[in-house]
Structures are given as structure tokens and as C-alpha cells.
Amino acid sequence: MFLGEKIFKAAALLGIGFMASLAQAEDCQQPLKLGWEPAAPYLYLDSQQQMHGLDYEIVAAALNEAGCSIDYLPYEAPWKRQLLWIKQGLLDLIVGASKTAEREQYAWFSLPYRHESVALFVRRGDASKYPLNALADIVQPPFGKLGIYRGSYYGEDFVKWMTVPAFSAKTFEVGADKQGLEMLLKGRIDGLILDSVSGVEFLRQEGVWGTQVERHPLPMIQTGNIHVMFSKQTTSAQLVERFNQGLLQLQRSGAYAAIIRKYAQ
């Protein structure tokens, strides 16, 4: 069965009408615009400026199953700016996203394709200086400021703690990993929250992992499932459903597991 026939059949079954089926068929006439910033092993460019990464390969393969392709921006953009561009319809999709009620107002969310956790990183030798056993402990001296990434979601517990003035007053928003690292090394903040996987890779690339920066033994913060965000301005719910079916097909075929193994090495 051709893609157009599948789309028309799905439209009939859902009762969304002929015009909606035409809009669905037009979803992928052009490559979908992807926003990104470096976050190896999830997203990164090689020396020839070609995109790679676990997130990229999974999403590109699932979109291919749906009859779509990706055209990523030729430049990186901070996460908060990507969210704004999704809201405005200047981007079609972004990856590595947590689902929140606020974001659901302007974006569709795919099925989850991986799980995420974040961790606290401090200057080397400072872990024992800050006896933190839970998030709530950052309000206690001698811990000073906690660097958090602007626009990021760190899970429900973190959101609840941010409503506590004594806790939120201890946080400082940074726009990018390098800005946060610079502030940490200069002592302007005492800790920085980074992805537990890509954060370590970033610190390795910066040449500071294990020499100037270490992970604090504070238990990792589970932020939950990770999804693809699709702009409601430029994509349809039907496109997202086709993507979801493509993702499920990758899992059934073993292609999904192969990509995971590739980046787990």
C-alpha cells in the first residue's frame, strides 16, 4: 500500500475528512527543520559538519519510516531559543525534550524514545565540602549558588522546590554549558546541573573532567521520559502519529536497539 493510500485510509478511520488527509499528505513535502545544540552523544557535528548522535539517528530513522526527512539548522541555538522558535513555527521539531503542560500548549509530543537523568557537578575536591543528600540540602551553607540551564526541565520534584523561595534564591540560570562551566571554575556558582551522560562528555571535551570538575554523590535527578517536540504551527497530529508508528517499527525491527548499542560503546 502506498503512503498516500495509508494516509487516506487513516483519515477515513479517524473521521477527520478529506481536507485533513490532504494536509497530512503535505506535511513532508519539504525536509523538516530541526533545531539543535551540541550534546554528544545525542547530537553533534563531525569535522565535515555532518550531524550524528543517538537522538539524531533514532529520530531521522523514524521520520524516514514516516516518509519524511530532516534539514537541521546550519548553526547551533540555545535550548530556550529553540523552544521559542518551535512556539513561533520557525522550527518544525527539536529532540531531547521533556513533556510539560506549558509546552503542550504549542507543541505536539512524540512517544518517548529514551529516559533522562541529570546530576550535580562541582569543582574537583569540593564534593566532600558540600554534604548534600537531597535537593533540599542546597539551601544549607556552605553551598552557594546552583547553576541550572535556562529553559530546561529537571523533573517534578525540582519544579516543586523552585516554588520555595529559599531554594529558588540559590539557583542561577545559565544559557549554555560553557557559560555554566566558566562560572563554576571561577567560583561564581558552587554546582552545575548537567545531563548525566552528555554532561560528562562535554566536560571531557573541555579537558576538565576529573582534573577540575567532578560529579557530586548527590543521587541523580530523574527527569523522566524524553520526546520529540513538533511545532503545532507547522506540523500536524497526523504527522506525529506517523512518526510514532515509525518509531515502533524501528523497535520491532531491531534497528532501535542497534542504534542504542552503537552509542553505548
Side-chain angles (χ1 to χ4, degrees):
M1 183 181 291
F2 293 105
L3 178 59
E5 295 173 354
K6 291 181 179 178
I7 293 171
F8 185 81
K9 183 177 180 181
L13 290 173
L14 293 171
I16 59 176
F18 181 64
M19 292 305 294
S21 71
L22 286 178
Q24 181 178 348
E26 293 172 356
D27 273 331
C28 290
Q29 285 189 342
Q30 300 294 329
L32 298 176
K33 297 189 294 295
L34 169 72
W36 67 281
E37 61 183 330
Y42 305 128
L43 285 173
Y44 61 93
L45 295 180
D46 64 17
S47 58
Q48 277 70 52
Q49 300 301 296
Q50 296 300 307
M51 185 69 73
H52 297 277
L54 185 149
D55 284 12
Y56 181 75
E57 290 199 25
I58 288 175
V59 173
L63 281 172
N64 184 62
E65 291 284 342
C68 305
S69 60
I70 291 178
D71 184 14
Y72 51 87
L73 293 180
Y75 49 85
E76 61 186 82
W79 179 246
K80 192 168 185 179
R81 189 177 303 164
Q82 292 181 53
L83 292 174
L84 176 63
W85 287 348
I86 285 287
K87 187 175 185 178
Q88 296 173 333
L90 300 176
L91 289 174
D92 297 315
L93 74 160
I94 52 179
V95 301
S98 299
K99 184 190 292 188
T100 69
E102 178 188 0
R103 295 173 183 177
E104 284 187 291
Q105 295 178 22
Y106 58 86
W108 314 107
F109 281 82
S110 73
L111 291 174
Y113 66 92
R114 64 176 172 85
H115 192 82
E116 181 183 72
S117 62
V118 295
L120 175 63
F121 295 85
V122 297
R123 292 177 294 275
R124 186 183 179 190
D126 279 2
S128 59
K129 180 179 175 182
Y130 308 124
L132 310 175
N133 298 307
L135 274 175
D137 294 337
I138 75 161
V139 301
Q140 302 297 329
F143 193 88
K145 290 287 187 178
L146 174 68
I148 59 176
Y149 201 5
R150 189 176 298 122
S152 287
Y153 175 77
Y154 297 124
E156 292 183 7
D157 286 346
F158 198 91
V159 170
K160 291 176 182 177
W161 277 109
M162 285 295 287
T163 65
V164 178
F167 183 92
S168 60
K170 284 276 194 169
T171 64
F172 185 92
E173 288 190 341
V174 299
D177 292 343
K178 287 190 177 182
Q179 179 194 3
L181 176 60
E182 180 181 0
M183 294 185 68
L184 180 65
L185 295 178
K186 290 183 176 180
R188 295 178 61 190
I189 58 177
D190 289 327
L192 179 64
I193 291 183
L194 295 170
D195 183 277
S196 59
V197 177
S198 64
V200 172
E201 183 60 28
F202 161 70
L203 295 171
R204 282 199 182 105
Q205 292 176 359
E206 293 297 310
V208 298
W209 176 242
T211 57
Q212 298 181 66
V213 179
E214 63 184 358
R215 209 192 105 189
H216 192 280
L218 177 75
M220 286 192 295
I221 302 166
Q222 303 300 321
T223 62
N225 289 324
I226 291 299
H227 310 256
V228 181
M229 281 179 70
F230 293 85
S231 173
K232 286 185 175 180
Q233 295 288 332
T234 63
T235 67
S236 69
Q238 290 73 42
L239 169 62
V240 180
E241 177 56 27
R242 282 156 50 206
F243 173 86
N244 288 339
Q245 293 303 315
L247 183 61
L248 293 173
Q249 177 57 31
L250 291 181
Q251 294 171 340
R252 288 191 293 264
S253 69
Y256 175 89
I259 295 172
I260 296 293
R261 286 195 300 270
K262 174 181 176 181
Y263 288 96
Q265 296 175 356

